[in-house]
Structures are given as structure tokens and as C-alpha cells.
Amino acid sequence: MTNALSAGAPDLPGLRAVTEAADAADRVLAGLPRPASRGPAAREAAEAAKDAARAERFRFLESHAEAVYGHLTGGGTRALRLDELVEAAAAAYPGLVPGPGRIAEERTRPQADKEGHEIDQGILLRAVLRSPVAGPHLLDAMLRPTARAMRLLPEFKRTGVLETESVHVERRDGVARLTLCRGDRLNAEDEQQVDDMETAVDLALLDPDIRVGLIRGGEMTHPRYRGRRVFSAGINLKSLSSGDIPLVGFLLRRELGYLRKIGNGLSLGDTATWHTQHAGKPWLAAVDGFAIGGGMQVLLVIDHVVAASDAYFSLPAAKEGIVPGAGNYRLARFTGPRLARQIILGGRRIRAAEPEARLLVDEVVEPEEMDAAIERGLDGLDGEAVLANRRMLNLAEEPEAGFRTYMAEFALQQALRIYGQDVIGKVGRFAAGSA
């Protein structure tokens, strides 16, 4: 039973209805087979029970999101990251969101056999991000350096090298050279890759001896591309099918964490001064092979993009059935709305040799000329005036209020999409075909 309020949490109007509906849904689900084994009648009963509970959560948060967030953050005195926020909400407001134990148990199941409790997290985070008080506070919390980066910073300052499972970082000539090194899976993205990338970006932004950042794919060990550089194949669909792509730890963290840190810089929090609230640096991306899905999304927050002439770009949202992160929000700024719809809705692939590619990249060169083009680009970004001007460009192009509104809706829509039957079927077939 979940209908006992946590000590210290305010008994807000409507909260009792939330916990009662959550208890009722739990009783229904406990009497049914697991999701993958349910027949039509059982599926209908399960969805009706979950829908009733979600409707109560949605109504409650429409009125009380700021009060809930204020209680969880001590009136805004604590900066909670996404994972910390949903765990705190589960402890303080039973039935509002699933607890960490329930989420951990769901992580042991394939996507097709989950109840979709992450949708309840999406409802909470949508409401928080929509709030003009709570939303900016949460965005700022996600721009703070991670605990992992702060722990690794002294050693990185000393050596200028970081080796993680998916990213290698080397400081050389004032440049943080981030090499994506998942060679066996074409730099496909998963939760570990997001953690490693945020750590790498944090270190690059924190190290005073680094002036510019570079992101490039390393050489592959994958049989089809062995010995060749590849930028990124996007989300790891096999991991999504197996249930290992979480809403909070991957799909939202990458957007509000390292991708936004590349564009906006780190929030300095308590160490900010009157003239410097963020630590930002310019970034260059070098695309060899392809930038698919999340790989292409990275390019939309980068200051200068160099691509090999045989590379291509795509956002295969229609094929995968999910929302391509903040790609829908940013892409039309570069391409215009018509081409953006062709890429996102129609799955159009843009090759570097096409004229349209110049809307996405700054320079296209022959593969053998990539190294020289990269160094030229890095030299062009290495200047004090670049820092101030990129900051002003980013503010003009992506005001926080608009981004926050988009991400609020994304939190819920992406949660719904990853549990859509069409998505589960598509990624299941992909996983079976790649096994």
C-alpha cells in the first residue's frame, strides 16, 4: 500500500486521490500476467487501471508541481539532478512516481515486458519543467558539473588524459580531444555512453588549460567498418529492446546534460561571479562515415562542423518510432521547416556531397584532408571574442523559455513513445536481426 504520506511532506489537495488510484492500479496489475503474456482483456484492464492513476497524477501536478518541487528542493536551496528528483519525489509523495526499487526491477525486463512506470516519471518532469519557477531551477541543476567529473578533475588536470568505456579524452595544445571509442558498435549510444560523455564534457569545461573542444569518432572494430572512423550510429536499438535505455538516465539526461552543456556551458552555481555565471567553450565536431540519430543531434549544438565528403546524416525517427531528442526543436533553425520535415518525418538522408549538407556543416573535405581541416577549424575557434559571441548567438537562437517548454512536452511524449507497441515491435525485430 502507498497511501501513507511521507513524514514532512505537505498533504496537498488531491494527493490522497493520487495514492488511492496508484494503490488500485497496483492491485489490478498484481492479479494479471506479466505484460508480454497478457491477452486482449488483460491488456485492456491493465491500461484502464494505469490510465486512471495517471489521470490523477496529471491533475494533481497541474496544480501543485511548484509546491512539490519546492518541498523536494528545500525551497530551491538544493540542486537536484533528474535522477535525484524522481527518487526524492517517490520517497516524499508515495504513489506520485515509482520508487527506485520498482524502476530497478523493471530494468531487468525487456521493453516489451515492462509496465511503463517511466511514463509516471514523464508526467512529473513535464509538470516541473513547465513551471516558470521550478523549470529554470531544474535546468540549472542539470548544468552543474557531475560528482564523477569533480572526483576525476584533479587527476585529469595533472595528466590531461581520461579513458572511459566509450570516450577517450586527451588534452593537447589547449584542445580537449574527445574520441568516441565504442568501436564494436559504431559508437551507438546507451546509458554508459551518456555518462561518459557528460563526464568528458564537464572535464573539458572545467580545465583552465583547455580552450576548445573537439568531438570525433575513433576507428571501428565492427566487421563492416573495421579500421575506419565513424562518428555515431545513434541510439543503441538493441539496448532499447532489452530494456536498457531509461527515460531519466539516458533520454532526458543527454538533452539536459552534456548536449546542453556543450551549447550553454557549465553553471557555476555558488562559485559564479557578477560577470560569469557559466563556463563555456567553443566546440568542433568532425564527422567521418555517418552521424545518425543522436549523432546528428550532437551537431546541432556544435559551433563548427567538418565532414568527410563520403559521410552522411540522418534522423530516422519515422523508422524507429521515437522522438529524436531536441532535434525537432533545433533542426529547422539550420535547414528551414520543409527540409526538417523531410529529414524527421520522411527519413531523408543528407549526404555530405549534396548542396543541402552545407546547411548542416561548415566544411566538407575529402577523407584524407580531414586532419588538416580539423586543425584549421580549431585554430579559428581559439579566440577570446569567440567565447562572448557564441554565448550571445546561443542565447538568441535558443532562449531558455522555449527550450524548457519543448523539453517539458518531450519528457512525456518520449516516455509514451518508448512504450508504444509500434516501437516495441520495431526495436524487437531490429534486435533479433542484429543478434
Side-chain angles (χ1 to χ4, degrees):
M1 297 288 287
T2 61
N3 55 10
L5 281 174
S6 174
D11 189 3
L12 298 166
L15 186 56
R16 297 287 176 179
V18 170
T19 57
E20 289 169 6
D23 284 340
D26 285 346
R27 289 193 295 271
V28 170
L29 298 178
L32 297 174
R34 285 169 61 140
S37 302
R38 289 172 188 161
R43 285 198 298 271
E44 184 176 346
E47 291 307 310
K50 289 187 286 188
D51 186 64
R54 287 167 183 159
E56 291 293 346
R57 293 182 182 106
F58 189 90
R59 281 192 289 269
F60 172 77
L61 287 164
E62 284 287 282
S63 300
H64 302 298
E66 287 183 9
V68 168
Y69 188 82
H71 172 70
L72 298 177
T73 61
T77 60
R78 292 198 301 154
L80 298 181
R81 288 176 62 85
L82 291 168
D83 57 333
E84 297 169 329
L85 180 66
V86 295
E87 287 193 20
Y93 299 93
L96 187 59
V97 288
R102 176 166 286 185
I103 292 295
E105 193 278 330
E106 284 247 296
R107 286 290 299 270
T108 67
R109 304 185 189 186
Q111 198 73 3
D113 207 22
K114 293 183 179 183
E115 294 289 2
H117 293 303
E118 290 176 298
I119 294 171
D120 304 317
Q121 295 177 328
I123 293 171
L124 170 67
L125 294 172
R126 173 188 179 274
V128 169
L129 286 166
R130 278 170 57 87
S131 163
V133 175
H137 191 270
L138 177 57
L139 290 183
D140 182 77
M142 290 301 295
L143 288 181
R144 307 284 182 94
T146 63
R148 183 187 181 197
M150 295 304 294
R151 187 175 68 252
L152 294 172
L153 182 59
E155 180 67 8
F156 180 74
K157 283 183 175 179
R158 186 181 70 82
T159 66
V161 174
L162 173 71
E163 293 277 4
T164 70
E165 181 179 325
S166 57
V167 185
H168 169 78
V169 187
E170 180 184 2
R171 181 186 64 227
R172 191 169 76 246
D173 301 326
V175 177
R177 299 170 188 268
L178 280 60
T179 302
L180 310 178
C181 56
R182 282 277 184 81
D184 60 333
R185 63 198 74 180
L186 306 179
N187 289 326
E189 301 171 312
D190 57 18
E191 191 173 20
Q192 183 64 55
Q193 191 266 357
V194 167
D195 189 32
D196 291 344
M197 276 297 290
E198 186 164 13
T199 301
V201 169
D202 280 355
L203 292 174
L205 294 173
L206 288 165
D207 188 339
D209 292 330
I210 289 172
R211 302 185 301 277
V212 184
L214 164 67
I215 302 175
R216 190 180 189 186
E219 292 186 2
M220 299 292 101
T221 59
H222 189 283
R224 289 181 58 189
Y225 294 88
R226 190 180 303 276
R228 295 170 55 186
R229 286 184 182 267
V230 161
F231 192 73
S232 175
I235 190 171
N236 190 323
L237 294 177
K238 191 172 183 179
S239 293
L240 177 56
S241 178
S242 65
D244 289 326
I245 296 292
L247 175 70
V248 169
F250 177 92
L251 294 164
L252 289 171
R253 178 181 175 179
R254 75 185 296 274
E255 302 299 330
L256 301 185
Y258 88 83
L259 286 179
R260 192 157 179 265
K261 286 175 176 178
I262 288 173
N264 288 56
L266 291 176
S267 170
L268 297 178
D270 296 338
T271 64
T273 66
W274 66 267
H275 55 80
T276 305
Q277 288 80 46
H278 294 84
K281 293 173 185 177
W283 289 84
L284 183 147
V287 181
D288 305 273
F290 45 75
I292 299 173
M296 182 173 171
Q297 293 167 37
V298 172
L299 308 183
L300 304 181
V301 296
I302 294 290
D303 301 296
H304 189 87
V305 180
V306 177
S309 59
D310 58 354
Y312 68 86
F313 317 89
S314 69
L315 287 174
K319 180 179 179 181
E320 298 165 356
I322 59 177
V323 180
N328 306 59
Y329 182 65
R330 295 179 173 129
L331 182 61
R333 268 203 323 259
F334 293 84
T335 65
R338 190 53 52 201
L339 183 55
R341 281 168 169 74
Q342 293 172 17
I343 293 170
I344 294 173
L345 304 181
R348 178 175 172 180
R349 180 180 292 185
I350 304 295
R351 298 189 178 278
E354 296 181 56
E356 290 85 348
R358 295 311 298 267
L359 299 172
L360 298 169
V361 304
D362 298 279
E363 187 174 5
V364 178
V365 299
E366 294 303 309
E368 62 273 15
E369 298 173 8
M370 282 289 285
D371 290 345
I374 290 168
E375 296 307 317
R376 287 197 304 272
L378 291 171
D379 288 342
L381 292 175
D382 189 3
E384 291 294 329
V386 171
L387 293 175
N389 281 288
R390 74 181 295 273
R391 174 71 175 158
M392 301 311 293
L393 282 168
N394 289 336
L395 285 171
E397 293 175 350
E398 192 167 294
E400 182 182 275
F403 176 76
R404 180 170 55 79
T405 300
Y406 177 91
M407 289 308 304
E409 197 61 29
F410 174 81
L412 180 56
Q413 294 303 320
Q414 189 74 309
L416 293 168
R417 281 286 72 221
I418 61 176
Y419 289 99
Q421 289 302 307
D422 60 321
V423 174
I424 289 171
K426 288 174 183 177
V427 299
R429 290 190 294 272
F430 175 88
S434 63

